[in-house]
């Protein structure tokens, strides 16, 4: 949970000073996502990849110069937050991820390196290589067959899926522990001696759809329950997070896929047009987006239907006061 007192007024103000921009980023950003490649082998119905299948066609790696820039800039500030290697891609589909993880671990040793994966490409040997490369954490989505995702049958299918995966990975029976079993999801923790944090989950569909999931900027609103009235609640996701897709574009948040029709207008800038990730984070476009999301006004575009990342009342009061003072 982020502490409201750590929110800086400067996050919502344009600065031309590089040192100030670097300081703001270091203070505010605790979650960085780099989409290291474009390919995903699945088209899950609760993901935009199910509607825009160009992710299946080819694998485009993020350019080395972009990756080097992001990691190098993070090294400058001794970044110690979360670094994710995925947004809408399957990072384990390309074994080059091992080199990406090694580089990040070498340059930003205090960061928590994390991967979201569907687990399809994972093997016991691959997992060991990831751990040796410096990966700290892995979150696995156990996607279920579309005919076995409903209600109690979905819960049963979820347990069968994690059991099958555990056998593939040679996990012992006692190392997989169920943490949550509800009408919406089943979640497990995998406890291994290598010290890596591993979580796995399956999403269950009920009469309302896939409750608890995000509409991904409204793209999958037909299968995910969403608010019928536009969101007015504050969102500070653009303050805490920094997301770069495989093209080097800064996206407003990891829920918005900006390489599909109509959504490219939400790109906040490309890293190639800035001298650092700090100046991109402090750009006019990024600041305008943060101020709009931090307001209590009606949200537009991809954020209209989103009901995630709601801000605690005490934090909202602090930020609302900041924005009021900026308008004076």
């Amino acid at each position: 949970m982020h502490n409201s007192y750590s929110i800086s007024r400067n996050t919502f103000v344009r600065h031309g000073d590089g040192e100030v921009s670097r300081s703001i980023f270091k203070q505010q950003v605790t979650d960085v996502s780099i989409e290291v490649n474009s390919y995903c082998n699945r088209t899950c119905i609760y993901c935009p990849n199910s509607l825009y299948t160009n992710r299946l066609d080819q694998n485009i790696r993020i350019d080395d110069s972009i990756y080097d820039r992001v990691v190098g800039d993070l090294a400058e500030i001794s970044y110690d937050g979360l670094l994710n290697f995925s947004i809408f891609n399957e990072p384990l589909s390309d074994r080059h991820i091992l080199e990406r993880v090694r580089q990040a671990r070498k340059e930003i040793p205090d960061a928590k390196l994390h991967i979201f994966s569907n687990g399809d490409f994972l093997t016991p040997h691959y997992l060991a290589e990831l751990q040796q490369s410096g990966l700290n954490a892995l979150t696995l989505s156990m996607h279920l067959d579309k005919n076995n995702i409903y209600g109690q049958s979905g819960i049963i299918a979820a347990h069968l899926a994690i059991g099958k995966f555990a056998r593939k990975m040679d996990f012992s029976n006692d190392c997989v522990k169920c943490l949550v079993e509800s009408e919406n999801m089943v979640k497990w923790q995998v406890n291994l001696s290598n010290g890596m944090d591993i979580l796995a989950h399956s999403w269950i569909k009920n009469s309302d759809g896939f409750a608890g999931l995000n509409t991904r900027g409204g793209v999958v609103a037909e299968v995910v329950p969403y608010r019928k009235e536009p969101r007015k609640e504050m969102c500070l996701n653009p303050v805490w997070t920094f997301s770069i897709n495989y093209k080097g574009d800064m996206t407003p948040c990891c829920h918005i896929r900006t390489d599909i029709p109509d959504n490219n207008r939400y790109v906040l800038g490309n890293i190639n047009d800035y001298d650092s990730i700090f100046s991109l984070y402090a750009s006019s476009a990024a600041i305008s987006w943060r101020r709009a999301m931090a307001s209590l006004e009606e949200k537009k575009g991809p954020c209209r239907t989103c009901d995630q990342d709601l801000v605690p009342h005490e934090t909202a009061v602090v930020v609302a006061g900041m924005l009021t003072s900026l308008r004076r």
Side-chain angles (χ1 to χ4, degrees), residues 60-312:
I60 303 173
R61 292 176 177 173
I62 194 170
D63 191 86
D64 287 346
S65 63
I66 296 175
Y67 186 79
D68 292 347
R69 174 94 68 85
V70 174
V71 172
D73 285 350
L74 293 175
E76 279 188 21
I77 60 171
S78 300
Y79 180 72
D80 60 1
L82 190 66
L83 177 60
N84 299 296
F85 295 91
S86 53
I87 302 182
F88 291 102
N89 58 315
E90 172 47 57
L92 299 188
S93 66
D94 186 344
R95 286 179 55 82
H96 192 55
I97 185 63
L98 295 170
E99 179 55 37
R100 298 300 195 197
V101 173
R102 276 192 289 268
Q103 180 180 346
R105 174 56 63 222
K106 180 180 179 180
E107 296 191 37
I108 41 177
D110 296 325
K112 182 176 182 180
L113 307 185
H114 174 263
I115 284 177
F116 286 102
S117 171
N118 57 39
D120 290 350
F121 298 90
L122 199 61
T123 65
H125 180 66
Y126 201 173
L127 180 61
E129 289 181 294
L130 288 165
Q131 191 272 334
Q132 291 163 7
S133 297
L135 191 70
N136 298 108
L138 185 63
T139 298
L140 300 165
S141 294
M142 300 286 101
H143 300 298
L144 305 179
D145 182 272
K146 64 180 180 181
N147 296 318
N148 291 309
I149 55 177
Y150 299 94
Q152 188 60 36
S153 64
I155 293 175
I156 294 172
H159 285 295
L160 291 174
I162 189 64
K164 181 179 179 180
F165 180 78
R167 288 190 295 275
K168 182 184 86 165
M169 296 298 297
D170 295 330
F171 294 157
S172 62
N173 293 332
D174 59 352
C175 76
V176 180
K177 177 184 178 182
C178 183
L179 300 178
V180 177
E181 182 182 300
S182 71
E183 63 176 359
N184 301 323
M185 73 173 298
V186 184
K187 178 186 283 188
W188 307 269
Q189 183 177 42
V190 181
N191 298 303
L192 300 179
S193 59
N194 65 12
M196 186 183 293
D197 296 329
I198 302 179
L199 293 175
H201 59 251
S202 289
W203 296 103
I204 311 300
K205 188 174 183 180
N206 55 43
S207 57
D208 294 325
F210 291 96
L213 285 174
N214 190 281
T215 65
R216 301 296 196 177
V219 175
V220 293
E222 290 192 9
V223 297
V224 175
Y226 66 95
R227 57 178 68 216
K228 302 304 184 285
E229 296 297 323
R231 173 179 179 144
K232 290 186 178 180
E233 293 92 341
M234 183 179 295
C235 175
L236 295 180
N237 196 301
V239 174
W240 309 123
T241 69
F242 181 77
S243 300
I244 292 286
N245 69 13
Y246 70 95
K247 296 181 177 181
D249 294 330
M250 178 184 176
T251 64
C253 81
C254 65
H255 296 307
I256 302 174
R257 185 177 154 184
T258 53
D259 64 331
I260 59 178
D262 296 330
N263 275 9
N264 56 4
R265 56 184 162 161
Y266 302 122
V267 172
L268 299 180
N270 187 282
I271 192 171
N272 289 315
D273 298 325
Y274 292 82
D275 60 8
S276 70
I277 61 174
F278 315 121
S279 58
L280 175 52
Y281 178 80
S283 66
S284 296
I287 290 172
S288 294
W289 193 278
R290 286 197 289 275
R291 291 185 68 160
M293 291 300 100
S295 78
L296 298 177
E297 301 298 320
E298 183 177 302
K299 304 300 181 284
K300 308 293 185 180
C303 304
R304 183 183 186 278
T305 60
C306 182
D307 60 3
Q308 294 198 354
D309 303 306
L310 299 181
V311 177

